[in-house]
């Protein structure tokens, strides 16, 4: 269940390009950590290296350690597929499997893990859809394709799909950026709900959102063009938004950036 | 579209006089004798059987192989390695048919003889393996022709499949991987559903090629005085190879008309296959969007 991350001296590369420099960060369990910072500073890159999705890109690699409850997910004997099974991810654009039914979408991760029992799959589908606040909207059309839902519903379907496997951590990369304000609120409520059970890391460009949903905020910045992104500071969200210790952070959150 | 109709019309006008004086059933008779214009006896049954069987053998082999190669090139090999590999497959399409025909007749056919004998004797419970109207020696049968055809249609099926598999949205691929799918599971849940209709359409294009292939088949298949035994170890003629084989004798309009009638059937058949391919591809697209 909910686990903690300890990121130690993490350097991330795309081929020869050094994208992120030496991140040190602790992510406590049952807690929401927000990543904020200007475009291109490496928020998504760091997030994707927390479930080993970064290395899916040809030439991409990382150096350093990412400890999940003390176990390095980059240790040589660790299978990235196993890592991704225990660390769920929600993407910027909803990406349900378009030809699969709503229910099959939700239980896709369980099926991959080898669960075949129909009753169990049905139960998990209902529990996850309820968990994602989508059950009432789709319970009469579970067999219809997931591609037929609205954007906000699709994103909640993706959240349901991610929590169906009861991951240790849930990573979200700007999960609301493609959604309208109502769907955004629905997902923010959901995040507040989910943090009782899950460790959550969320990337957002929306300061209010970071302030509303997160307990701790990490501010990333670029020192210059072609330079790697840096973690500037991390602290309680309240502290970051009221009294940050770095000038750059203050400039960024008050909109005096660049 | 207009030119297609005109070609069809041309074939029909040329074929009708011969069809009217045909002394046996055009569709169901295996006989083909057009030497005596006073007594034309020609039927397409065996041409149809040989054409379909050889194309079927070609598809059964080429479809899975092409899918495997296309998946491997697009989702397993790094692009740098995949590109030269893909180039080699594409080069197969540039080999002239006559070379494939010679190779099939002189090299592959004899080499397949032991396998053909094994299938024909030991697995003869399978209907398509039982019986043969030409000797197995030398491999001048549909089995050899089908395998050669499969190599000839491999490039087109692979190229079309590669194209569609490549276009699988990265979002979906990442969605599957992030759920803890292995590469193969990712392919099964995203690439294959996405590329299915394109793959089928590509295979139908390949089928169209196999149905119409002429000179390679003509060089490989041995003719037989016996009617077809509906086996892949038969010899005989496909529509195309039959017509090509008779080309030197196209001086008598009535006997020529018999061949044109056969050509017309091949034309309609190929056309139907292509229409089906388009329908399948279109339906797949509507479903995916
Ligand atoms: N696939 C890739 N190949 C090469 N470089 C990449 C790739 N993806 C991102 N980068 C580079 O890595 C750096 C960090 O990118 P990243 O996407 O992590 O930024 P971000 O903070 O998420 O930005 P945004 O807020 O716009 O999403 C950028 O310089 C970007 O150009
Ligand atoms: Mg990003």
């Amino acid at each position: 269940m909910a686990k903690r991350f300890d990121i130690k001296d993490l350097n991330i590369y795309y081929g020869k390009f050094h994208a992120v420099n030496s991140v040190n960060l602790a992510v406590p369990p049952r807690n929401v950590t927000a990543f904020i910072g200007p475009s291109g500073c490496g928020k998504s890159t760091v997030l994707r290296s927390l479930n080993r999705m970064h290395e899916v890109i040809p030439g991409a690699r990382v150096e350093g350690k990412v400890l999940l409850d003390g176990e390095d997910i980059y240790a040589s004997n660790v299978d990235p597929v196993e890592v991704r099974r225990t660390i769920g991810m929600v993407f910027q654009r909803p990406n349900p499997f378009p030809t699969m039914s709503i229910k099959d979408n939700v239980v896709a991760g369980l099926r991959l893990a080898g669960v075949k029992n129909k009753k169990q799959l049905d139960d998990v589908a209902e529990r996850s859809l309820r968990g994602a606040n989508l059950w009432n909207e789709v319970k009469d059309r579970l067999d219809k394709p997931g591609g037929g839902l609205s954007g906000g519903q699709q994103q909640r379907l993706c959240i349901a799909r991610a929590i169906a496997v009861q991951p240790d951590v849930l990573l979200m990369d700007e999960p609301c950026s493609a959604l309208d304000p109502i769907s955004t609120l629905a997902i923010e409520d959901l995040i507040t709900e989910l943090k009782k059970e899950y460790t959550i890391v969320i990337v957002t460009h929306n300061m209010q959102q970071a302030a509303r949903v997160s307990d701790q905020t990490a501010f990333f910045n670029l020192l210059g063009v072609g330079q790697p992104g840096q973690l500037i500071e991390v602290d309680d969200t309240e502290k970051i938004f009221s009294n940050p210790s770095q000038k750059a952070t203050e400039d960024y959150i008050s909109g005096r950036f660049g | 579209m207009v030119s297609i109709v005109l070609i069809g019309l041309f074939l029909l006008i040329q074929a009708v006089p011969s069809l009217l004086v045909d002394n046996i059933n055009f569709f169901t008779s295996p006989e083909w004798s057009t030497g005596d214009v006073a007594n034309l006896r020609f039927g397409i049954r065996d041409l149809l059987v040989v054409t379909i069987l050889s194309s079927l053998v070609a598809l059964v082999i080429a479809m899975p192989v092409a899918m495997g190669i296309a998946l491997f090139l697009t989702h397993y090999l790094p692009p740098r390695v995949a590109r030269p590999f893909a180039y080699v497959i594409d080069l197969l399409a540039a080999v002239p048919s006559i070379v494939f025909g010679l190779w099939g007749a002189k090299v592959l056919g004899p080499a397949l003889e032991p396998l053909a004998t094994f299938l024909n004797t030991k697995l003869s419970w399978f209907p398509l393996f039982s019986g043969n109207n030409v000797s197995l020696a030398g491999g001048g049968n549909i089995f050899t022709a089908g395998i050669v055809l499969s190599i000839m249609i491999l490039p087109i099926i692979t190229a079309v499949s590669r194209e569609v598999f490549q276009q699988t949205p990265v979002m979906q691929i990442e969605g599957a991987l992030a759920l803890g799918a292995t590469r193969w599971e990712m392919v099964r849940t995203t690439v294959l559903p996405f590329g299915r209709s394109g793959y089928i359409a590509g295979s139908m294009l390949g089928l169209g090629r196999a149905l119409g292939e002429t000179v390679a088949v003509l060089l490989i298949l041995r003719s037989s005085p016996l009617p077809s035994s509906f086996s892949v170890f038969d010899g005989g003629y496909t529509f195309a190879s039959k017509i090509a084989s008779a080309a030197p004798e196209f001086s008598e309009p009535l006997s020529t008309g018999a061949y044109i009638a056969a050509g017309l059937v091949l034309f309609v058949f190929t056309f139907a296959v292509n229409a089906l391919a388009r329908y399948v591809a279109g339906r797949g697209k509507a479903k995916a969007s």
Side-chain angles (χ1 to χ4, degrees):
Chain A
M1 294 277 22
K3 290 189 177 168
R4 64 177 288 116
F5 264 131
D6 287 287
I7 302 166
K8 302 238 160 89
D9 205 15
L10 187 67
N11 283 278
I12 315 179
Y13 302 84
Y14 291 99
K16 291 203 176 65
F17 176 58
H18 189 186
V20 177
N21 187 34
S22 193
V23 172
N24 285 284
L25 177 67
V27 175
R30 292 193 187 75
N31 186 293
V32 179
T33 299
F35 287 1
I36 61 169
S39 196
C41 66
K43 304 178 295 295
S44 301
T45 303
V46 172
L47 194 76
R48 289 166 57 93
S49 60
L50 298 185
N51 67 343
R52 298 193 62 169
M53 278 302 286
H54 176 66
E55 67 205 50
V56 166
I57 296 162
R61 67 200 169 82
V62 309
E63 283 167 10
K65 285 193 165 126
V66 177
L67 305 176
L68 184 64
D69 267 8
E71 309 264 1
D72 186 4
I73 64 169
Y74 282 99
S76 57
N77 59 347
V78 174
D79 180 0
V81 169
E82 286 304 317
V83 170
R84 295 179 201 133
R85 283 200 179 154
T86 55
I87 303 178
M89 184 163 225
V90 176
F91 294 79
Q92 182 165 359
R93 303 195 138 269
N95 59 353
F97 303 122
T99 49
M100 260 188 215
S101 73
I102 291 174
K103 197 184 105 196
D104 287 342
N105 259 286
V106 178
V107 298
L110 256 73
R111 285 235 168 86
L112 290 175
V115 179
K116 294 206 173 68
N117 183 315
K118 190 174 175 313
K119 173 93 171 58
Q120 187 185 353
L121 292 175
D122 286 348
D123 289 349
V124 171
E126 175 168 352
R127 193 196 68 218
S128 311
L129 285 167
R130 282 190 194 281
N133 283 333
L134 189 60
W135 176 252
N136 287 328
E137 289 157 72
V138 301
K139 62 172 187 260
D140 300 322
R141 46 173 168 155
L142 292 174
D143 294 323
K144 297 268 151 43
L149 298 173
S150 78
Q153 289 172 327
Q154 285 188 21
Q155 193 63 307
R156 278 179 282 153
L157 178 60
C158 292
I159 294 175
R161 182 174 72 180
I163 61 178
V165 292
Q166 299 197 287
D168 298 331
V169 182
L170 200 53
L171 307 175
M172 303 177 145
D173 193 351
E174 303 186 46
C176 305
S177 66
L179 306 182
D180 67 285
I182 305 277
S183 308
T184 299
L185 276 184
I187 291 192
E188 286 182 10
D189 288 346
L190 181 56
I191 291 171
T192 315
E193 202 50 40
L194 289 173
K195 84 169 179 190
K196 291 178 195 153
E197 274 184 82
Y198 299 98
T199 306
I200 297 175
V201 183
I202 179 173
V203 174
T204 178
H205 272 286
N206 180 330
M207 296 301 134
Q208 288 80 18
Q209 182 169 73
R212 277 193 301 263
V213 302
S214 74
D215 304 295
Q216 130 175 299
T217 298
F219 172 63
F220 291 80
N221 203 358
L222 271 176
L223 297 184
V225 182
Q227 299 278 89
Q230 302 258 5
L231 173 60
I232 302 297
E233 74 171 300
V234 53
D235 216 325
D236 287 349
T237 297
E238 244 169 72
K239 171 106 185 332
I240 291 277
F241 281 94
S242 58
N243 182 23
S245 40
Q246 299 290 322
K247 171 96 169 44
T249 314
E250 189 175 347
D251 288 350
Y252 182 74
I253 59 172
S254 60
R256 259 179 283 140
F257 183 78
Chain B
M1 196 62 208
V2 174
S3 56
I4 289 177
V5 173
L6 286 179
I7 291 172
L9 225 56
F10 161 81
L11 294 175
L12 193 63
I13 290 167
Q14 302 275 313
V16 164
S18 308
L19 286 170
L20 288 177
V21 297
D22 192 357
N23 283 322
I24 49 173
N25 189 309
F26 176 66
F27 289 106
T28 57
S29 168
E31 199 180 333
W32 192 281
S33 68
T34 54
D36 179 5
V37 285
N39 181 21
L40 286 181
R41 305 172 67 82
F42 61 96
I44 55 162
R45 190 198 77 178
D46 279 7
L47 302 183
L48 189 68
V49 170
V50 175
T51 304
I52 291 179
L53 277 184
S54 55
S55 301
L56 216 61
V57 172
L59 268 194
V60 163
I61 297 171
M63 279 181 73
V65 174
M67 176 186 275
I69 294 177
L71 286 176
F72 199 63
L73 291 179
T74 50
H75 291 284
Y76 286 85
L77 283 186
R80 218 159 9 97
V81 189
R83 222 165 287 128
F85 206 127
Y87 184 67
V88 171
I89 305 272
D90 286 344
L91 268 187
L92 276 182
V95 176
S97 309
I98 188 110
V99 174
F100 275 115
L102 286 171
W103 176 73
K106 298 292 167 212
V107 182
L108 186 68
L112 284 174
E113 207 185 299
L115 175 63
T117 310
F118 171 78
L119 296 175
N120 187 231
T121 52
K122 298 289 188 314
L123 296 184
S124 59
W125 52 265
F126 184 65
L128 295 182
F129 288 164
S130 88
N132 52 309
N133 67 7
V134 292
S135 156
L136 289 176
N141 50 41
I142 296 173
F143 186 59
T144 307
I147 292 176
V148 170
L149 285 174
S150 76
I151 301 172
M152 297 177 74
I153 65 176
L154 191 66
I156 177 77
I157 306 182
T158 309
V160 174
S161 311
R162 205 153 43 92
E163 193 73 26
V164 288
F165 291 163
Q166 193 87 63
Q167 285 168 8
T168 314
V170 176
M171 268 175 20
Q172 279 180 39
I173 293 176
E174 295 202 327
L177 291 177
L179 272 184
T182 59
R183 197 144 281 268
W184 169 237
E185 288 165 339
M186 177 281 283
V187 164
R188 249 182 27 211
T189 46
T190 62
V191 179
L192 291 184
F194 179 83
R196 200 186 68 113
S197 58
Y199 167 68
I200 292 176
S203 303
M204 293 291 153
L205 282 179
L207 175 59
R209 239 207 106 180
L211 291 172
E213 174 51 41
T214 308
V215 77
V217 176
L218 182 62
L219 288 187
I220 293 168
L221 284 187
R222 273 208 231 167
S223 62
S224 169
L226 303 171
S228 155
S229 52
F230 301 95
S231 155
V232 296
F233 300 111
D234 286 344
Y237 291 95
T238 63
F239 284 108
S241 72
K242 185 76 187 173
I243 297 167
S245 72
E249 298 145 34
F250 287 166
S251 47
E252 175 56 52
L254 269 184
S255 29
T256 309
Y259 289 93
I260 290 180
L264 181 63
V265 175
L266 175 62
F267 177 76
V268 171
F269 195 64
T270 314
F271 194 72
V273 165
N274 269 302
L276 188 71
R278 270 162 211 273
Y279 171 72
V280 170
R283 204 182 46 166
K285 243 177 228 139
K287 210 170 154 194
S289 64

